[in-house]
Coordinates of all heavy atoms in Angstrom, one line a residue:
V150 N 15.3 -10.6 -12.6 CA 14.5 -9.5 -12.3 C 15.3 -8.2 -12.4 O 14.8 -7.2 -13.0 CB 14.0 -9.6 -10.8 CG1 13.2 -8.3 -10.4 CG2 13.0 -10.8 -10.7
A151 N 16.5 -8.2 -12.0 CA 17.4 -7.0 -12.1 C 17.6 -6.7 -13.6 O 17.5 -5.5 -14.0 CB 18.7 -7.3 -11.5
E152 N 17.7 -7.6 -14.5 CA 17.8 -7.4 -15.9 C 16.5 -6.7 -16.4 O 16.6 -5.8 -17.2 CB 18.1 -8.7 -16.7 CG 19.5 -9.2 -16.5 CD 19.7 -10.6 -17.2 OE1 18.8 -10.9 -18.0 OE2 20.7 -11.2 -17.0
A153 N 15.4 -7.2 -16.0 CA 14.1 -6.7 -16.4 C 14.0 -5.2 -15.9 O 13.6 -4.3 -16.7 CB 13.0 -7.5 -15.9
F154 N 14.3 -5.0 -14.7 CA 14.3 -3.6 -14.1 C 15.2 -2.7 -14.9 O 14.8 -1.5 -15.2 CB 14.6 -3.6 -12.6 CG 13.6 -4.1 -11.7 CD1 12.4 -4.7 -12.2 CD2 13.7 -4.1 -10.3 CE1 11.4 -5.1 -11.3 CE2 12.7 -4.5 -9.5 CZ 11.6 -5.1 -10.0
D155 N 16.4 -3.1 -15.2 CA 17.3 -2.3 -15.9 C 16.8 -1.9 -17.3 O 16.8 -0.8 -17.7 CB 18.7 -2.9 -16.0 CG 19.5 -2.9 -14.8 OD1 19.1 -2.1 -13.9 OD2 20.5 -3.7 -14.7
Q156 N 16.2 -2.9 -18.0 CA 15.7 -2.7 -19.3 C 14.5 -1.7 -19.3 O 14.4 -0.8 -20.1 CB 15.3 -4.0 -19.9 CG 14.8 -3.9 -21.4 CD 14.6 -5.2 -22.0 OE1 15.3 -6.2 -21.8 NE2 13.6 -5.3 -22.9
L157 N 13.6 -1.9 -18.3 CA 12.5 -1.1 -18.1 C 12.8 0.4 -17.8 O 12.3 1.3 -18.3 CB 11.5 -1.6 -17.1 CG 10.8 -2.9 -17.5 CD1 10.1 -3.5 -16.2 CD2 9.7 -2.6 -18.5
K158 N 13.9 0.5 -17.0 CA 14.3 1.9 -16.6 C 15.0 2.6 -17.8 O 14.8 3.7 -18.1 CB 15.2 1.8 -15.4 CG 15.6 3.2 -14.8 CD 16.3 3.1 -13.5 CE 16.6 4.5 -12.9 NZ 15.4 5.2 -12.5
E159 N 15.9 1.8 -18.4 CA 16.7 2.4 -19.6 C 15.7 2.8 -20.7 O 16.0 3.8 -21.4 CB 17.7 1.4 -20.0 CG 18.9 1.2 -19.1 CD 19.8 0.0 -19.4 OE1 19.5 -0.6 -20.5 OE2 20.6 -0.3 -18.6
S160 N 14.6 2.1 -20.9 CA 13.7 2.4 -21.9 C 12.8 3.6 -21.5 O 12.0 4.1 -22.4 CB 12.8 1.2 -22.3 OG 12.0 0.8 -21.2
G161 N 12.8 4.0 -20.3 CA 12.0 5.0 -19.8 C 10.6 4.6 -19.4 O 9.7 5.4 -19.1
K162 N 10.3 3.3 -19.4 CA 9.0 2.8 -19.2 C 8.6 2.8 -17.7 O 7.5 2.9 -17.3 CB 8.8 1.4 -19.7 CG 8.8 1.4 -21.3 CD 8.7 0.0 -21.8 CE 8.7 0.0 -23.3 NZ 8.5 -1.4 -23.9
V163 N 9.7 2.6 -16.8 CA 9.5 2.6 -15.4 C 10.6 3.4 -14.7 O 11.8 3.3 -15.1 CB 9.5 1.2 -14.8 CG1 9.3 1.2 -13.3 CG2 8.4 0.3 -15.4
R164 N 10.2 4.3 -13.8 CA 11.2 5.1 -13.2 C 11.8 4.6 -11.9 O 12.9 4.8 -11.5 CB 10.6 6.5 -12.9 CG 10.3 7.2 -14.3 CD 9.8 8.6 -14.1 NE 9.7 9.3 -15.4 CZ 9.3 10.5 -15.6 NH1 8.9 11.2 -14.5 NH2 9.2 11.1 -16.8
H165 N 10.9 3.9 -11.1 CA 11.4 3.4 -9.8 C 10.7 2.0 -9.5 O 9.6 1.7 -10.1 CB 11.1 4.4 -8.6 CG 11.6 5.7 -8.9 ND1 12.9 6.0 -8.7 CD2 11.0 6.9 -9.3 CE1 13.1 7.3 -9.0 NE2 12.0 7.8 -9.4
F166 N 11.2 1.3 -8.6 CA 10.8 -0.1 -8.4 C 10.6 -0.4 -6.9 O 11.2 0.2 -6.0 CB 11.8 -1.1 -9.0 CG 12.0 -0.9 -10.4 CD1 13.0 -0.1 -10.9 CD2 11.2 -1.6 -11.3 CE1 13.2 0.1 -12.3 CE2 11.4 -1.4 -12.7 CZ 12.3 -0.5 -13.2
G167 N 9.7 -1.4 -6.6 CA 9.5 -1.8 -5.2 C 8.9 -3.2 -5.2 O 8.9 -3.9 -6.3
V168 N 8.4 -3.6 -4.1 CA 7.9 -5.0 -3.9 C 6.6 -4.9 -3.0 O 6.3 -3.8 -2.5 CB 8.9 -5.9 -3.2 CG1 10.2 -6.1 -4.0 CG2 9.3 -5.3 -1.8
S169 N 6.0 -6.0 -2.8 CA 4.9 -6.1 -1.9 C 4.9 -7.3 -1.1 O 5.3 -8.4 -1.6 CB 3.5 -6.0 -2.7 OG 3.3 -7.1 -3.4
N170 N 4.6 -7.2 0.2 CA 4.5 -8.4 1.1 C 5.8 -9.2 1.2 O 5.8 -10.4 1.2 CB 3.3 -9.3 0.6 CG 2.1 -8.5 0.4 OD1 1.4 -8.1 1.4 ND2 1.7 -8.3 -0.8
Q171 N 6.9 -8.5 1.1 CA 8.2 -9.2 1.2 C 8.9 -8.9 2.5 O 8.8 -7.8 3.1 CB 9.1 -8.8 0.0 CG 8.6 -9.3 -1.3 CD 9.6 -9.4 -2.4 OE1 10.8 -9.4 -2.1 NE2 9.2 -9.6 -3.6
N172 N 9.7 -9.9 3.0 CA 10.4 -9.8 4.2 C 11.8 -9.3 3.9 O 12.2 -9.2 2.8 CB 10.4 -11.1 5.0 CG 11.2 -12.2 4.3 OD1 12.2 -12.0 3.7 ND2 10.7 -13.4 4.5
P173 N 12.6 -8.9 5.0 CA 13.9 -8.3 4.7 C 14.9 -9.1 3.9 O 15.6 -8.6 3.0 CB 14.4 -8.1 6.2 CG 13.2 -7.8 7.0 CD 12.2 -8.8 6.4

Side-chain angles (χ1 to χ4, degrees):
V150 172
E152 289 176 9
F154 283 6
D155 284 344
Q156 183 172 325
L157 289 167
K158 189 173 182 66
E159 288 168 6
S160 67
K162 293 179 179 180
V163 180
R164 296 184 171 179
H165 306 283
F166 300 89
V168 296
S169 68
N170 309 288
Q171 293 203 12
N172 66 36

